[in-house]
Amino acid sequence: MESAEIILEETNFYRYYTEKGGLSRENFMALNDYFSFKEVPHNTFLLQAEEVCSYTFFVESGLLESFSLDEKGGEHILQFAPENWIVSDRASQYFNKPSEYYIKAIEHSVIVFIQPDFLTKASQQNPDFACFLDSSLQRNIYVQQKRISSLLAMTAKERYIAFMETYPSLMMRVPQWMIASYLGITPESLSRVRRELLNDERSSRKK
């Protein structure tokens, strides 16, 4: 459903792309047809596997997850997207191929649905935005490489510490099984890691 009473200049979306991307209010007015705010109820899918990803999703408020399912229906979380985060399936969108992933609202959210032409036309209008977009792409590649490296090389404890650094606001917003899924470990292993970190903290206080 459409989100009512949105004043563009007061949104996180507007601030994000003016402060980080260099867009002006005039740029936004010219791009008005290429994005829309929508309220998304809890557990709503924005993308399902086998669909072509048609949008990039900016989280104005709320929380999304991107995940895949294995043959047994087990969920493997690739990314959480809280406020001011962006999530999409770039490969599906760019190559116009069915996605292998799902994107779903974990909380009731307000999401900006961004059409691909928004980025193209914004880059044409504003050279600063073109530079920002290129930098964002490189940063996304770097983050994905670090994510793969963490799953291959880091211990469960190191992965959990990295998760807390990446998503400091999510510890009380998502259930433990979701955190375990993101880390690639079992909920039981996550409980052991948390106990170990708590014991480490207690030991350091005694010194």
Side-chain angles (χ1 to χ4, degrees), residues 12 26 45 57-58 97 108 178 182 187 191 193:
N12 291 323
E26 290 71 25
F45 284 92
F57 305 105
F58 178 93
K97 298 292 186 181
H108 186 96
M178 281 190 169
Y182 175 86
S191 294
V193 167

Side-chain angles (χ1 to χ4, degrees), residues 92-103:
S92 172
Q93 193 175 94
Y94 185 82
F95 296 107
N96 196 37
K97 298 292 186 181
S99 179
E100 299 176 8
Y101 305 109
Y102 299 80
I103 297 175

